[in-house]
Amino acid sequence: MLLKDKIIIVTGASEGIGKALTKNLISKGAKVAMISRRQDEDFVKDHSGSAYAFKCDVTDKNQVRSTMAQIAKEFGSIDGLINSAGIWLKTKPLEEVSLDEIETVLDANLKGLIYMTKEVLPYLKKNKESVLVNISSKSGTRPMDLQAVYCASKYGVKGFTDTLKLELKKSSVKIMGFYPSGINTKMFEKAGEGFPAETFMNADEIAEIITFAIERPGNISIEEIQVEKY
Ligand SMILES: NC(=O)c1ccc[n+]([C@@H]2O[C@H](COP(=O)([O-])OP(=O)(O)OC[C@H]3O[C@@H](n4cnc5c(N)ncnc54)[C@H](OP(=O)(O)O)[C@@H]3O)[C@@H](O)[C@H]2O)c1
């Protein structure tokens, strides 16, 4: 898809991978609707005409529905959705994970992604070509010790993505699952984790890989990418 003037929704765009991706897509000429609970007013001002911030909690069904309707109305069409919003849960045995933590992680990483996809899909289907990218994780393909709940959320994203792929086979929507290992963002630190994030992959390089996949021409669909630090 040629990204010039395309309308792409990125969730989790206030920082990390979503923010890096927003910058990369804008550099290719796309207009990005940035979804998150916080908004970076300075970034939007600096990228006026390309970046548009919409305050929305993806775990809130009603907010998701009304925000997607607002975006469709403002832009006339939606060409892509990249689901990047997500949270980490500090590594610990399941007995030490609270019921609230379970709900919060599944709501943000899995249910929120499904709500977003369900609301945006009808708009994506209207176009001759559109893209849907779900950011899962390496933890959505392989178990990680003491991460049963986070892995459940990410395996859930993989199951959802693989199954929706069958449903969208004859549609104009190209769907891709993205499965990276550790990336140098604030995700772990915010959850109180002590990982040395600086040894991880760089978010800008990850954004370039996703953009490359989206930019493939009409008859090519990259359905899955796994990325490891070498
Ligand atoms: N970093 C890694 O090592 C890594 C590896 C593999 C996969 N991933 C996955 O990649 C995705 C992005 O991770 P990241 O490293 O970029 O994390 P990050 O830097 O912590 O950014 C997370 C983003 O998600 C948004 N978000 C969280 N909960 C939200 C909610 N309820 N509604 C709307 N937005 C919400 C945050 O914005 P607000 O707080 O402003 O709402 C923020 O913009 C996640 O799904 C993560 O699981 C990350």
Side-chain angles (χ1 to χ4, degrees):
M1 173 194 279
L2 280 175
L3 282 165
K4 177 117 185 65
D5 293 327
K6 293 293 191 309
I7 312 300
I8 312 286
I9 298 175
V10 178
T11 75
S14 62
E15 65 180 316
I17 301 166
K19 181 76 156 290
L21 201 46
T22 298
K23 286 184 204 156
N24 204 280
L25 294 169
I26 287 174
S27 77
K28 304 281 180 173
K31 295 182 192 305
V32 179
M34 303 168 69
I35 304 290
S36 50
R37 292 164 301 182
R38 292 163 299 147
Q39 292 179 313
D40 185 342
E41 306 289 354
D42 291 339
F43 180 86
V44 173
K45 211 183 282 169
D46 291 347
H47 297 84
S48 160
S50 299
Y52 303 83
F54 294 86
K55 202 169 176 181
C56 173
D57 182 338
V58 299
T59 68
D60 183 324
K61 304 188 265 288
N62 296 325
Q63 272 186 42
V64 169
R65 177 162 293 168
S66 61
T67 309
M68 292 316 113
Q70 187 192 346
I71 291 172
K73 198 171 167 203
E74 273 182 36
F75 294 99
S77 74
I78 301 172
D79 301 290
L81 167 65
I82 300 165
N83 282 308
S84 186
I87 53 171
W88 179 253
L89 178 62
K90 194 170 181 210
T91 308
K92 55 187 165 185
L94 185 60
E95 298 95 298
E96 290 173 24
V97 178
S98 73
L99 295 178
D100 280 349
E101 284 175 323
I102 295 172
E103 202 170 299
T104 305
V105 171
L106 294 179
D107 280 357
N109 293 0
L110 180 58
K111 285 166 72 180
L113 179 144
I114 296 176
Y115 296 153
M116 281 294 307
T117 306
K118 180 175 161 48
E119 290 305 324
V120 177
L121 208 47
Y123 301 110
L124 295 182
K125 281 184 171 174
K126 284 184 190 161
N127 300 328
K128 278 206 183 104
E129 189 187 8
S130 52
V131 292
L132 167 59
V133 178
N134 288 336
I135 301 193
S136 172
S137 168
K138 179 180 174 179
S139 310
T141 62
R142 275 159 287 185
M144 276 184 71
D145 194 18
L146 303 177
Q147 273 298 336
V149 177
Y150 182 78
C151 283
S153 73
K154 293 299 181 178
Y155 269 78
V157 171
K158 179 164 174 32
F160 175 69
T161 305
D162 288 349
T163 309
L164 194 60
K165 213 173 275 174
L166 302 177
E167 195 175 314
L168 296 177
K169 207 73 197 166
K170 291 198 170 69
S171 79
S172 58
V173 187
K174 293 180 188 174
I175 174 168
M176 179 176 91
F178 192 71
Y179 305 94
S181 61
I183 299 155
N184 186 1
T185 68
K186 297 233 163 61
M187 181 179 82
F188 300 114
E189 189 187 315
K190 285 189 288 182
E193 196 75 79
F195 294 156
E198 62 279 1
T199 63
F200 291 160
M201 297 182 292
N202 178 284
D204 292 329
E205 285 168 6
I206 293 298
E208 272 179 34
I209 295 168
I210 298 171
T211 303
F212 171 84
I214 294 174
E215 279 185 309
R216 291 314 87 207
N219 62 348
I220 292 175
S221 172
I222 298 181
E223 298 195 335
E224 188 170 303
I225 295 184
Q226 297 196 23
V227 191
E228 278 285 345
K229 184 171 165 65
Y230 189 62

